Amino acid sequence: MPDNKFTGSSKISVRVSGKALNPDEGYNLDSVITSLQNVENLIKKTYLVANDRSRFTENDAQSINIKLQSWEQGSLISNLEIWFNSVVLPTLPFVVDNREFIWESIKGSVDFLRAKFNAEKEGKSVDIRQNTDGGTAINVKAEGNSKVVIYAPQGLPATAERLQPTLQELTQQIDGTDVTSIDFSDKAEDIKQPSKVVSLNNSDKDLFGSATFTSDEQVEIVGKITSGNYDTNAGRIEVLSSATQRIEVGQSYRLKISEDLHAEDKWKEMFLSPRPYFCKYKLGGPSLNKVTEIIVTDWDESKWDDEQAV
């Protein structure tokens, strides 16, 4: 076997709490099956994202196998073992131990998305800055009353964005009664200690379920603002060209212009004229795959009056 391939296992424990998982009354079989299937989907999706792939194949099924090693009472505690068979472990900047890339990816993604969505829920703009010094911590810093800067390990924001729909699906099982929380830990002995688990509860269901995702990348477009409100920095924009396939040419999108670009003379020049912009975009929809809003972060002054920009 080549030296760069790994055969061995990694462990994750899962605790599902709620009325449907009460050992005194008997476990609701549908809740048990749904919980384990959702966790299995999350593990497989994390494996695919770490390897920059989207489809789980038969070959993958030979390379990674998820087994229920044991279960315990106390809500429903399932101790899972993820077996790898001759797998090239992905090298991710935010992962300390490559053998634990699934656990560390899930934990980091939940922490990052929670910080990002909470800030956006409060109506604050979010600036993501990726550390290149090898650090793994996520730090949140407020800048004034309307902006939050999130310092995240390199590569983690992209991983979190791709895992978000699967995490959202997992939280949708939480209803506050039959299922009140789903906890994860990389050690079976830690699953009952709140300070050592990743815990998803009813507030996370609301947060993940209603959230939109703002891209971290800044892209170039040429667009024509067809309606706008200078006081609210909002309007609609028709896209004439785009550097990303997510933003479709010919489509009209809801528009938001960064507050630091609030200049009345520039607004007059933007209106009904094709102009080059740098922007971010918000993703929404059931799988966060639809652009719902374009956020102009700057304009390209060098091409402002260039009719060939389109």
Side-chain angles (χ1 to χ4, degrees), residues 50-80:
N51 288 281
D52 196 24
R53 295 187 23 243
S54 57
R55 191 168 65 88
F56 197 84
T57 66
E58 290 185 11
N59 287 337
D60 292 318
Q62 300 299 317
S63 299
I64 177 174
N65 191 9
I66 306 163
K67 296 183 177 181
L68 176 62
Q69 291 296 103
S70 62
W71 67 276
E72 307 170 29
Q73 291 187 2
S75 299
L76 177 68
I77 299 175
S78 304
N79 298 313
L80 308 178

PDB file of all heavy atoms in Angstrom, residues 50-80:
ATOM      1  N   ALA A  50     -14.400  17.735   1.172  1.00  0.00           N
ATOM      2  CA  ALA A  50     -12.964  17.749   1.476  1.00  0.00           C
ATOM      3  C   ALA A  50     -12.134  17.312   0.278  1.00  0.00           C
ATOM      4  O   ALA A  50     -10.977  17.716   0.134  1.00  0.00           O
ATOM      5  CB  ALA A  50     -12.679  16.848   2.678  1.00  0.00           C
ATOM      6  N   ASN A  51     -12.739  16.486  -0.576  1.00  0.00           N
ATOM      7  CA  ASN A  51     -12.048  16.017  -1.777  1.00  0.00           C
ATOM      8  C   ASN A  51     -12.475  16.779  -3.031  1.00  0.00           C
ATOM      9  O   ASN A  51     -12.181  16.355  -4.153  1.00  0.00           O
ATOM     10  CB  ASN A  51     -12.298  14.520  -1.965  1.00  0.00           C
ATOM     11  CG  ASN A  51     -11.546  13.678  -0.947  1.00  0.00           C
ATOM     12  OD1 ASN A  51     -10.349  13.442  -1.082  1.00  0.00           O
ATOM     13  ND2 ASN A  51     -12.253  13.229   0.089  1.00  0.00           N
ATOM     14  N   ASP A  52     -13.196  17.889  -2.829  1.00  0.00           N
ATOM     15  CA  ASP A  52     -13.652  18.762  -3.910  1.00  0.00           C
ATOM     16  C   ASP A  52     -14.447  18.004  -4.962  1.00  0.00           C
ATOM     17  O   ASP A  52     -14.231  18.148  -6.167  1.00  0.00           O
ATOM     18  CB  ASP A  52     -12.457  19.460  -4.568  1.00  0.00           C
ATOM     19  CG  ASP A  52     -12.887  20.654  -5.421  1.00  0.00           C
ATOM     20  OD1 ASP A  52     -13.971  21.200  -5.164  1.00  0.00           O
ATOM     21  OD2 ASP A  52     -12.139  21.021  -6.349  1.00  0.00           O
ATOM     22  N   ARG A  53     -15.423  17.206  -4.471  1.00  0.00           N
ATOM     23  CA  ARG A  53     -16.278  16.441  -5.373  1.00  0.00           C
ATOM     24  C   ARG A  53     -17.717  16.589  -4.918  1.00  0.00           C
ATOM     25  O   ARG A  53     -17.992  17.054  -3.810  1.00  0.00           O
ATOM     26  CB  ARG A  53     -15.859  14.965  -5.389  1.00  0.00           C
ATOM     27  CG  ARG A  53     -14.458  14.797  -5.962  1.00  0.00           C
ATOM     28  CD  ARG A  53     -14.003  13.372  -6.178  1.00  0.00           C
ATOM     29  NE  ARG A  53     -15.066  12.437  -6.305  1.00  0.00           N
ATOM     30  CZ  ARG A  53     -15.276  11.424  -5.435  1.00  0.00           C
ATOM     31  NH1 ARG A  53     -14.496  11.273  -4.386  1.00  0.00           N
ATOM     32  NH2 ARG A  53     -16.258  10.586  -5.629  1.00  0.00           N
ATOM     33  N   SER A  54     -18.661  16.197  -5.777  1.00  0.00           N
ATOM     34  CA  SER A  54     -20.070  16.405  -5.459  1.00  0.00           C
ATOM     35  C   SER A  54     -20.896  15.120  -5.452  1.00  0.00           C
ATOM     36  O   SER A  54     -22.003  15.118  -4.923  1.00  0.00           O
ATOM     37  CB  SER A  54     -20.692  17.397  -6.456  1.00  0.00           C
ATOM     38  OG  SER A  54     -20.541  16.925  -7.781  1.00  0.00           O
ATOM     39  N   ARG A  55     -20.398  14.034  -6.033  1.00  0.00           N
ATOM     40  CA  ARG A  55     -21.212  12.818  -6.144  1.00  0.00           C
ATOM     41  C   ARG A  55     -20.517  11.639  -5.473  1.00  0.00           C
ATOM     42  O   ARG A  55     -19.342  11.388  -5.703  1.00  0.00           O
ATOM     43  CB  ARG A  55     -21.492  12.507  -7.617  1.00  0.00           C
ATOM     44  CG  ARG A  55     -22.538  11.423  -7.820  1.00  0.00           C
ATOM     45  CD  ARG A  55     -22.977  11.375  -9.271  1.00  0.00           C
ATOM     46  NE  ARG A  55     -21.891  10.979 -10.157  1.00  0.00           N
ATOM     47  CZ  ARG A  55     -21.610   9.702 -10.460  1.00  0.00           C
ATOM     48  NH1 ARG A  55     -22.313   8.722  -9.954  1.00  0.00           N
ATOM     49  NH2 ARG A  55     -20.608   9.425 -11.276  1.00  0.00           N
ATOM     50  N   PHE A  56     -21.268  10.922  -4.638  1.00  0.00           N
ATOM     51  CA  PHE A  56     -20.760   9.746  -3.935  1.00  0.00           C
ATOM     52  C   PHE A  56     -20.925   8.527  -4.843  1.00  0.00           C
ATOM     53  O   PHE A  56     -22.035   8.186  -5.245  1.00  0.00           O
ATOM     54  CB  PHE A  56     -21.534   9.549  -2.629  1.00  0.00           C
ATOM     55  CG  PHE A  56     -20.854   8.647  -1.640  1.00  0.00           C
ATOM     56  CD1 PHE A  56     -19.886   9.150  -0.781  1.00  0.00           C
ATOM     57  CD2 PHE A  56     -21.179   7.302  -1.566  1.00  0.00           C
ATOM     58  CE1 PHE A  56     -19.257   8.332   0.144  1.00  0.00           C
ATOM     59  CE2 PHE A  56     -20.556   6.476  -0.649  1.00  0.00           C
ATOM     60  CZ  PHE A  56     -19.595   6.996   0.211  1.00  0.00           C
ATOM     61  N   THR A  57     -19.823   7.873  -5.185  1.00  0.00           N
ATOM     62  CA  THR A  57     -19.823   6.783  -6.152  1.00  0.00           C
ATOM     63  C   THR A  57     -19.649   5.428  -5.474  1.00  0.00           C
ATOM     64  O   THR A  57     -19.406   5.341  -4.265  1.00  0.00           O
ATOM     65  CB  THR A  57     -18.698   6.974  -7.172  1.00  0.00           C
ATOM     66  OG1 THR A  57     -17.427   6.843  -6.490  1.00  0.00           O
ATOM     67  CG2 THR A  57     -18.782   8.359  -7.826  1.00  0.00           C
ATOM     68  N   GLU A  58     -19.729   4.376  -6.265  1.00  0.00           N
ATOM     69  CA  GLU A  58     -19.485   3.022  -5.744  1.00  0.00           C
ATOM     70  C   GLU A  58     -18.057   2.889  -5.236  1.00  0.00           C
ATOM     71  O   GLU A  58     -17.803   2.185  -4.248  1.00  0.00           O
ATOM     72  CB  GLU A  58     -19.768   1.988  -6.838  1.00  0.00           C
ATOM     73  CG  GLU A  58     -21.251   1.860  -7.191  1.00  0.00           C
ATOM     74  CD  GLU A  58     -21.502   0.734  -8.184  1.00  0.00           C
ATOM     75  OE1 GLU A  58     -20.563  -0.054  -8.430  1.00  0.00           O
ATOM     76  OE2 GLU A  58     -22.625   0.640  -8.706  1.00  0.00           O
ATOM     77  N   ASN A  59     -17.127   3.531  -5.908  1.00  0.00           N
ATOM     78  CA  ASN A  59     -15.737   3.495  -5.443  1.00  0.00           C
ATOM     79  C   ASN A  59     -15.595   4.145  -4.074  1.00  0.00           C
ATOM     80  O   ASN A  59     -14.832   3.677  -3.224  1.00  0.00           O
ATOM     81  CB  ASN A  59     -14.824   4.202  -6.448  1.00  0.00           C
ATOM     82  CG  ASN A  59     -14.621   3.393  -7.712  1.00  0.00           C
ATOM     83  OD1 ASN A  59     -14.782   2.169  -7.706  1.00  0.00           O
ATOM     84  ND2 ASN A  59     -14.275   4.067  -8.804  1.00  0.00           N
ATOM     85  N   ASP A  60     -16.351   5.228  -3.863  1.00  0.00           N
ATOM     86  CA  ASP A  60     -16.329   5.880  -2.553  1.00  0.00           C
ATOM     87  C   ASP A  60     -16.868   4.944  -1.473  1.00  0.00           C
ATOM     88  O   ASP A  60     -16.366   4.927  -0.348  1.00  0.00           O
ATOM     89  CB  ASP A  60     -17.157   7.166  -2.582  1.00  0.00           C
ATOM     90  CG  ASP A  60     -16.533   8.233  -3.456  1.00  0.00           C
ATOM     91  OD1 ASP A  60     -15.307   8.396  -3.400  1.00  0.00           O
ATOM     92  OD2 ASP A  60     -17.278   8.898  -4.199  1.00  0.00           O
ATOM     93  N   ALA A  61     -17.892   4.186  -1.835  1.00  0.00           N
ATOM     94  CA  ALA A  61     -18.488   3.246  -0.872  1.00  0.00           C
ATOM     95  C   ALA A  61     -17.486   2.167  -0.454  1.00  0.00           C
ATOM     96  O   ALA A  61     -17.602   1.596   0.636  1.00  0.00           O
ATOM     97  CB  ALA A  61     -19.730   2.594  -1.471  1.00  0.00           C
ATOM     98  N   GLN A  62     -16.504   1.895  -1.318  1.00  0.00           N
ATOM     99  CA  GLN A  62     -15.446   0.951  -0.970  1.00  0.00           C
ATOM    100  C   GLN A  62     -14.356   1.603  -0.126  1.00  0.00           C
ATOM    101  O   GLN A  62     -13.618   0.921   0.587  1.00  0.00           O
ATOM    102  CB  GLN A  62     -14.821   0.380  -2.255  1.00  0.00           C
ATOM    103  CG  GLN A  62     -15.785  -0.364  -3.161  1.00  0.00           C
ATOM    104  CD  GLN A  62     -16.406  -1.574  -2.484  1.00  0.00           C
ATOM    105  OE1 GLN A  62     -15.712  -2.327  -1.791  1.00  0.00           O
ATOM    106  NE2 GLN A  62     -17.709  -1.741  -2.660  1.00  0.00           N
ATOM    107  N   SER A  63     -14.282   2.926  -0.225  1.00  0.00           N
ATOM    108  CA  SER A  63     -13.203   3.650   0.454  1.00  0.00           C
ATOM    109  C   SER A  63     -13.590   4.142   1.839  1.00  0.00           C
ATOM    110  O   SER A  63     -12.732   4.295   2.712  1.00  0.00           O
ATOM    111  CB  SER A  63     -12.770   4.855  -0.399  1.00  0.00           C
ATOM    112  OG  SER A  63     -12.297   4.432  -1.651  1.00  0.00           O
ATOM    113  N   ILE A  64     -14.880   4.417   2.050  1.00  0.00           N
ATOM    114  CA  ILE A  64     -15.330   4.927   3.343  1.00  0.00           C
ATOM    115  C   ILE A  64     -16.602   4.194   3.749  1.00  0.00           C
ATOM    116  O   ILE A  64     -17.544   4.076   2.962  1.00  0.00           O
ATOM    117  CB  ILE A  64     -15.561   6.458   3.293  1.00  0.00           C
ATOM    118  CG1 ILE A  64     -16.109   6.962   4.635  1.00  0.00           C
ATOM    119  CG2 ILE A  64     -16.434   6.861   2.129  1.00  0.00           C
ATOM    120  CD1 ILE A  64     -16.216   8.474   4.713  1.00  0.00           C
ATOM    121  N   ASN A  65     -16.620   3.702   4.962  1.00  0.00           N
ATOM    122  CA  ASN A  65     -17.742   2.904   5.455  1.00  0.00           C
ATOM    123  C   ASN A  65     -18.081   3.374   6.871  1.00  0.00           C
ATOM    124  O   ASN A  65     -17.198   3.441   7.742  1.00  0.00           O
ATOM    125  CB  ASN A  65     -17.362   1.423   5.458  1.00  0.00           C
ATOM    126  CG  ASN A  65     -18.548   0.525   5.705  1.00  0.00           C
ATOM    127  OD1 ASN A  65     -19.688   0.981   5.707  1.00  0.00           O
ATOM    128  ND2 ASN A  65     -18.294  -0.745   5.931  1.00  0.00           N
ATOM    129  N   ILE A  66     -19.348   3.721   7.096  1.00  0.00           N
ATOM    130  CA  ILE A  66     -19.781   4.251   8.396  1.00  0.00           C
ATOM    131  C   ILE A  66     -20.510   3.151   9.154  1.00  0.00           C
ATOM    132  O   ILE A  66     -21.504   2.605   8.663  1.00  0.00           O
ATOM    133  CB  ILE A  66     -20.695   5.469   8.204  1.00  0.00           C
ATOM    134  CG1 ILE A  66     -20.000   6.509   7.320  1.00  0.00           C
ATOM    135  CG2 ILE A  66     -21.081   6.074   9.554  1.00  0.00           C
ATOM    136  CD1 ILE A  66     -20.936   7.536   6.738  1.00  0.00           C
ATOM    137  N   LYS A  67     -20.033   2.835  10.335  1.00  0.00           N
ATOM    138  CA  LYS A  67     -20.610   1.741  11.119  1.00  0.00           C
ATOM    139  C   LYS A  67     -21.082   2.247  12.480  1.00  0.00           C
ATOM    140  O   LYS A  67     -20.438   3.085  13.107  1.00  0.00           O
ATOM    141  CB  LYS A  67     -19.583   0.630  11.318  1.00  0.00           C
ATOM    142  CG  LYS A  67     -19.152  -0.054  10.026  1.00  0.00           C
ATOM    143  CD  LYS A  67     -18.186  -1.200  10.297  1.00  0.00           C
ATOM    144  CE  LYS A  67     -17.806  -1.929   9.015  1.00  0.00           C
ATOM    145  NZ  LYS A  67     -16.895  -3.066   9.275  1.00  0.00           N
ATOM    146  N   LEU A  68     -22.217   1.708  12.914  1.00  0.00           N
ATOM    147  CA  LEU A  68     -22.711   1.958  14.259  1.00  0.00           C
ATOM    148  C   LEU A  68     -22.068   0.937  15.184  1.00  0.00           C
ATOM    149  O   LEU A  68     -22.394  -0.248  15.143  1.00  0.00           O
ATOM    150  CB  LEU A  68     -24.242   1.847  14.296  1.00  0.00           C
ATOM    151  CG  LEU A  68     -24.905   1.984  15.668  1.00  0.00           C
ATOM    152  CD1 LEU A  68     -24.649   3.358  16.267  1.00  0.00           C
ATOM    153  CD2 LEU A  68     -26.411   1.720  15.570  1.00  0.00           C
ATOM    154  N   GLN A  69     -21.122   1.391  15.986  1.00  0.00           N
ATOM    155  CA  GLN A  69     -20.376   0.474  16.851  1.00  0.00           C
ATOM    156  C   GLN A  69     -21.159   0.133  18.118  1.00  0.00           C
ATOM    157  O   GLN A  69     -21.123  -0.994  18.593  1.00  0.00           O
ATOM    158  CB  GLN A  69     -19.036   1.103  17.235  1.00  0.00           C
ATOM    159  CG  GLN A  69     -18.057   1.225  16.080  1.00  0.00           C
ATOM    160  CD  GLN A  69     -17.637  -0.132  15.544  1.00  0.00           C
ATOM    161  OE1 GLN A  69     -18.121  -0.560  14.497  1.00  0.00           O
ATOM    162  NE2 GLN A  69     -16.773  -0.822  16.247  1.00  0.00           N
ATOM    163  N   SER A  70     -21.873   1.127  18.666  1.00  0.00           N
ATOM    164  CA  SER A  70     -22.646   0.895  19.892  1.00  0.00           C
ATOM    165  C   SER A  70     -23.613   2.040  20.082  1.00  0.00           C
ATOM    166  O   SER A  70     -23.497   3.098  19.463  1.00  0.00           O
ATOM    167  CB  SER A  70     -21.716   0.797  21.111  1.00  0.00           C
ATOM    168  OG  SER A  70     -21.014   2.013  21.310  1.00  0.00           O
ATOM    169  N   TRP A  71     -24.596   1.820  20.927  1.00  0.00           N
ATOM    170  CA  TRP A  71     -25.509   2.899  21.282  1.00  0.00           C
ATOM    171  C   TRP A  71     -25.809   2.816  22.766  1.00  0.00           C
ATOM    172  O   TRP A  71     -25.695   1.765  23.384  1.00  0.00           O
ATOM    173  CB  TRP A  71     -26.786   2.851  20.441  1.00  0.00           C
ATOM    174  CG  TRP A  71     -27.680   1.671  20.688  1.00  0.00           C
ATOM    175  CD1 TRP A  71     -27.582   0.435  20.150  1.00  0.00           C
ATOM    176  CD2 TRP A  71     -28.802   1.620  21.569  1.00  0.00           C
ATOM    177  NE1 TRP A  71     -28.568  -0.392  20.620  1.00  0.00           N
ATOM    178  CE2 TRP A  71     -29.341   0.323  21.494  1.00  0.00           C
ATOM    179  CE3 TRP A  71     -29.427   2.551  22.398  1.00  0.00           C
ATOM    180  CZ2 TRP A  71     -30.449  -0.077  22.232  1.00  0.00           C
ATOM    181  CZ3 TRP A  71     -30.534   2.156  23.135  1.00  0.00           C
ATOM    182  CH2 TRP A  71     -31.030   0.858  23.040  1.00  0.00           C
ATOM    183  N   GLU A  72     -26.170   3.961  23.352  1.00  0.00           N
ATOM    184  CA  GLU A  72     -26.408   4.041  24.783  1.00  0.00           C
ATOM    185  C   GLU A  72     -27.709   4.780  25.051  1.00  0.00           C
ATOM    186  O   GLU A  72     -28.178   5.564  24.227  1.00  0.00           O
ATOM    187  CB  GLU A  72     -25.278   4.808  25.473  1.00  0.00           C
ATOM    188  CG  GLU A  72     -23.880   4.303  25.173  1.00  0.00           C
ATOM    189  CD  GLU A  72     -22.828   5.257  25.704  1.00  0.00           C
ATOM    190  OE1 GLU A  72     -23.107   5.940  26.714  1.00  0.00           O
ATOM    191  OE2 GLU A  72     -21.744   5.339  25.103  1.00  0.00           O
ATOM    192  N   GLN A  73     -28.278   4.528  26.217  1.00  0.00           N
ATOM    193  CA  GLN A  73     -29.430   5.302  26.650  1.00  0.00           C
ATOM    194  C   GLN A  73     -28.960   6.647  27.182  1.00  0.00           C
ATOM    195  O   GLN A  73     -27.787   6.863  27.450  1.00  0.00           O
ATOM    196  CB  GLN A  73     -30.206   4.549  27.730  1.00  0.00           C
ATOM    197  CG  GLN A  73     -30.910   3.300  27.217  1.00  0.00           C
ATOM    198  CD  GLN A  73     -31.803   2.677  28.276  1.00  0.00           C
ATOM    199  OE1 GLN A  73     -31.932   3.194  29.374  1.00  0.00           O
ATOM    200  NE2 GLN A  73     -32.438   1.579  27.935  1.00  0.00           N
ATOM    201  N   GLY A  74     -29.916   7.518  27.367  1.00  0.00           N
ATOM    202  CA  GLY A  74     -29.608   8.888  27.763  1.00  0.00           C
ATOM    203  C   GLY A  74     -29.916   9.733  26.548  1.00  0.00           C
ATOM    204  O   GLY A  74     -29.001  10.196  25.885  1.00  0.00           O
ATOM    205  N   SER A  75     -31.226   9.850  26.232  1.00  0.00           N
ATOM    206  CA  SER A  75     -31.671  10.209  24.890  1.00  0.00           C
ATOM    207  C   SER A  75     -31.190   9.066  23.999  1.00  0.00           C
ATOM    208  O   SER A  75     -31.181   7.917  24.421  1.00  0.00           O
ATOM    209  CB  SER A  75     -31.134  11.574  24.464  1.00  0.00           C
ATOM    210  OG  SER A  75     -31.616  12.576  25.345  1.00  0.00           O
ATOM    211  N   LEU A  76     -30.737   9.346  22.793  1.00  0.00           N
ATOM    212  CA  LEU A  76     -30.187   8.287  21.939  1.00  0.00           C
ATOM    213  C   LEU A  76     -28.754   8.645  21.612  1.00  0.00           C
ATOM    214  O   LEU A  76     -28.494   9.634  20.922  1.00  0.00           O
ATOM    215  CB  LEU A  76     -30.990   8.144  20.654  1.00  0.00           C
ATOM    216  CG  LEU A  76     -30.436   7.105  19.666  1.00  0.00           C
ATOM    217  CD1 LEU A  76     -30.590   5.701  20.229  1.00  0.00           C
ATOM    218  CD2 LEU A  76     -31.132   7.203  18.326  1.00  0.00           C
ATOM    219  N   ILE A  77     -27.816   7.882  22.113  1.00  0.00           N
ATOM    220  CA  ILE A  77     -26.396   8.121  21.869  1.00  0.00           C
ATOM    221  C   ILE A  77     -25.882   7.027  20.948  1.00  0.00           C
ATOM    222  O   ILE A  77     -25.942   5.840  21.270  1.00  0.00           O
ATOM    223  CB  ILE A  77     -25.590   8.141  23.182  1.00  0.00           C
ATOM    224  CG1 ILE A  77     -26.100   9.267  24.085  1.00  0.00           C
ATOM    225  CG2 ILE A  77     -24.104   8.315  22.892  1.00  0.00           C
ATOM    226  CD1 ILE A  77     -25.446   9.303  25.457  1.00  0.00           C
ATOM    227  N   SER A  78     -25.397   7.441  19.786  1.00  0.00           N
ATOM    228  CA  SER A  78     -24.879   6.496  18.796  1.00  0.00           C
ATOM    229  C   SER A  78     -23.388   6.757  18.621  1.00  0.00           C
ATOM    230  O   SER A  78     -22.976   7.878  18.324  1.00  0.00           O
ATOM    231  CB  SER A  78     -25.591   6.677  17.448  1.00  0.00           C
ATOM    232  OG  SER A  78     -26.990   6.554  17.600  1.00  0.00           O
ATOM    233  N   ASN A  79     -22.597   5.716  18.837  1.00  0.00           N
ATOM    234  CA  ASN A  79     -21.159   5.826  18.653  1.00  0.00           C
ATOM    235  C   ASN A  79     -20.799   5.250  17.287  1.00  0.00           C
ATOM    236  O   ASN A  79     -20.945   4.056  17.040  1.00  0.00           O
ATOM    237  CB  ASN A  79     -20.429   5.078  19.772  1.00  0.00           C
ATOM    238  CG  ASN A  79     -20.732   5.672  21.141  1.00  0.00           C
ATOM    239  OD1 ASN A  79     -20.687   6.889  21.321  1.00  0.00           O
ATOM    240  ND2 ASN A  79     -21.060   4.828  22.107  1.00  0.00           N
ATOM    241  N   LEU A  80     -20.367   6.136  16.397  1.00  0.00           N
ATOM    242  CA  LEU A  80     -20.098   5.753  15.015  1.00  0.00           C
ATOM    243  C   LEU A  80     -18.602   5.634  14.772  1.00  0.00           C
ATOM    244  O   LEU A  80     -17.800   6.366  15.363  1.00  0.00           O
ATOM    245  CB  LEU A  80     -20.683   6.787  14.054  1.00  0.00           C
ATOM    246  CG  LEU A  80     -22.157   7.149  14.234  1.00  0.00           C
ATOM    247  CD1 LEU A  80     -22.555   8.235  13.233  1.00  0.00           C
ATOM    248  CD2 LEU A  80     -23.041   5.916  14.053  1.00  0.00           C
TER     249      LEU A  80
END
